[in-house]
Amino acid sequence: MALLGNSGKHKNILLIVEILILLFFIILNIVPIFWGVLTSFKNPRDIAAFPPKIINFTPVIDHYITVIKGGIFKAMVVSIQNSASTILFGTLLAAVSAFGFDRYKFTGRKFLFFCVILGIPLSVGSSALLIPNYLYMITIGLTNKIYTLPLLYITYNLPMAIWILKGNIESIPISIDESAKIEGCSDMYIFFHLILPLTKPALAASALFLFIGSWNEFVTSSVMVDSPHLRPIQLSIYNYLGFFGREWGPLTAAATLAIIPIIIIFAFLSKLLISGLTQGSVKE
Amino acid sequence: MHRRINLGLILITPGFVFIFMFLIFPIFYALGLSFFNTNYLQVEGFAGFGNYIRILLREETANSIGRGLLMSIIAAGFTMFIGFWLAYWVNSRSGIMAMSLQLVGLVPWVMSMVVGALLWKWILAGDLGLLNHLFRTLGLPLVNAFGNKVSSMTSLIFVVSWRTIGYSMVMLLAGMKTVPQELIEAAMMDGAGILKQIFHVILPLIKTPLLVSGITVLMSNINNVTVPMVLTGGGPVNATNVVALELYRMGFVNSQYGMASALAALVIIINVFLIAGYMRVVKWHF
């Protein structure tokens, strides 16, 4: 963009405009969180105040107490359970599948792998599949169980996890397996003791996708579980919307609690997230 | 590579069963069910194309599909355009701005849609929202972001694009990093202006991430139930009742599962085109 400027002065103005535009985008990305967190600590009078109060207010934790009394911790525990089981079984299934796809030849391998990759865009469109999935889950009696949501979250994020891990196992030289074979190691030993330790970053990237996918999911949970003790955090927040209406204090407090784990994990693992996202579209 | 033949098959079976049972099979289940009459959850006999005729006779079907496509295409176009320029800028710079843009870029994408839409609703809504505070400070007339058809749809498109801009930026940036700097310099030497460089050098070389992210964003928009549900609830009246939301309501609010399956089948057809495009462009071959 700076190339357009001929004179030095012209250049400077352009640079300032450029920086302002970019600053605007940076602000746009974080302003909802910033404003939400701020609102969650204000008393109702400060929330409604004009000009808006940025620092000149006394923080209160009333809204947090309200949502805690409303059972938000219970919902967080449900979400933690869902995420933990999704991550655990999801990465295990993904690693085993990726190993199978990469290191063995079998009839239909290509077709089956095609189906796995097909699962990536399919799960992006999973809400179109919500009606059939719901009727189907009802028919086989799997709705409203403690394992209902983990089962679906594992499935929705498994294709991506398999793909990330397959890409990584691919890059481990096959000679490692072969020499271990000659030494008399079993296939399972090779998998658990040689391959898995070498795929740690990819395992973490897959786990990250499984975590984000299960922690943030809402639409599926809104139809697949009904019992209050099975409601995860996003569903609870949605229900608060109906319950608290326009009381933004409790709503933003609940929202703040829900994004804390995501932001913490994102802060440490954003590089892994990017490497997973760009898999299959950029040659490394 | 060629070891025991069956072990590989055994290893991939558990994962595959999940994908088959809960992602692939339900599509066929929906297609099948769309040809049956249902009363709440009971299947009551063959309906032929009855459900399809019924949903096609409803005015809201075509309207909601139209709205869904309009919203999705505009939002995806917006996302890809802005994502491209942000990536282009970040790629040509280093320093604190480029760093922070990359860092915060993905924040909307990792945030749950319920929370994202809720927080924007609070910023955009009513007289007490941050947006109207800003307008008041600047002496501008106040806006009612969810008050009329156009403003409500604009707000929806804005929030839906906001969610995906960082994702497209990251994808396109990763692609641009693989474009050799010499190629761009050579084009500059030949007197190619900035637009020529982009259209003749950069875009052809980042075709894959461009198409993969474009299709992913479009699909995610078309199937997005959460953002319209939380942000506008489809209103005012039906102004932002996009097809994904209409589908959800038909099934889970009105319990018209036969008709909803037929509508789901129509939405799946739209998705099939996009999925086919995705499978063509993505590099998945061994």
Side-chain angles (χ1 to χ4, degrees), chain A residues 7-22:
Chain A
S7 68
K9 201 178 168 193
H10 195 166
K11 232 176 180 169
N12 278 341
I13 293 171
L14 267 179
L15 194 69
I16 291 168
V17 171
E18 227 179 280
I19 286 174
L20 283 179
I21 293 174
L22 293 161

Side-chain angles (χ1 to χ4, degrees), chain B residues 210-258:
Chain B
L210 191 72
L211 290 171
V212 168
S213 56
I215 294 171
T216 306
V217 168
L218 196 56
M219 270 196 80
S220 127
N221 291 354
I222 287 176
N223 295 291
N224 195 333
V225 183
T226 313
V227 174
M229 201 158 137
V230 174
L231 193 71
T232 65
V237 195
N238 275 336
T240 50
N241 187 30
V242 291
V243 66
L245 186 60
E246 171 69 6
L247 185 58
Y248 185 93
R249 286 171 160 180
M250 200 185 262
F252 302 111
V253 181
N254 304 331
S255 301
Q256 296 164 318
Y257 292 102

Side-chain angles (χ1 to χ4, degrees), chain A residues 28-39:
Chain A
L28 211 57
N29 275 324
I30 48 177
V31 77
I33 297 185
F34 173 76
W35 192 238
V37 171
L38 225 51
T39 305

Side-chain angles (χ1 to χ4, degrees), chain B residues 173-189:
Chain B
L173 182 61
M176 282 180 204
K177 281 185 176 156
T178 66
V179 177
Q181 198 58 39
E182 301 88 74
L183 270 182
I184 296 172
E185 274 159 22
M188 259 159 73
M189 297 271 230

Side-chain angles (χ1 to χ4, degrees), chain A residues 20 47 54 69 74 77 116 119 122 208 221 226 243 254:
Chain A
L20 283 179
I47 290 177
I54 310 261
K69 277 185 185 154
K74 241 192 264 166
V77 169
V116 170
L122 262 182
L208 191 60
S221 70
D226 196 34
F243 184 72

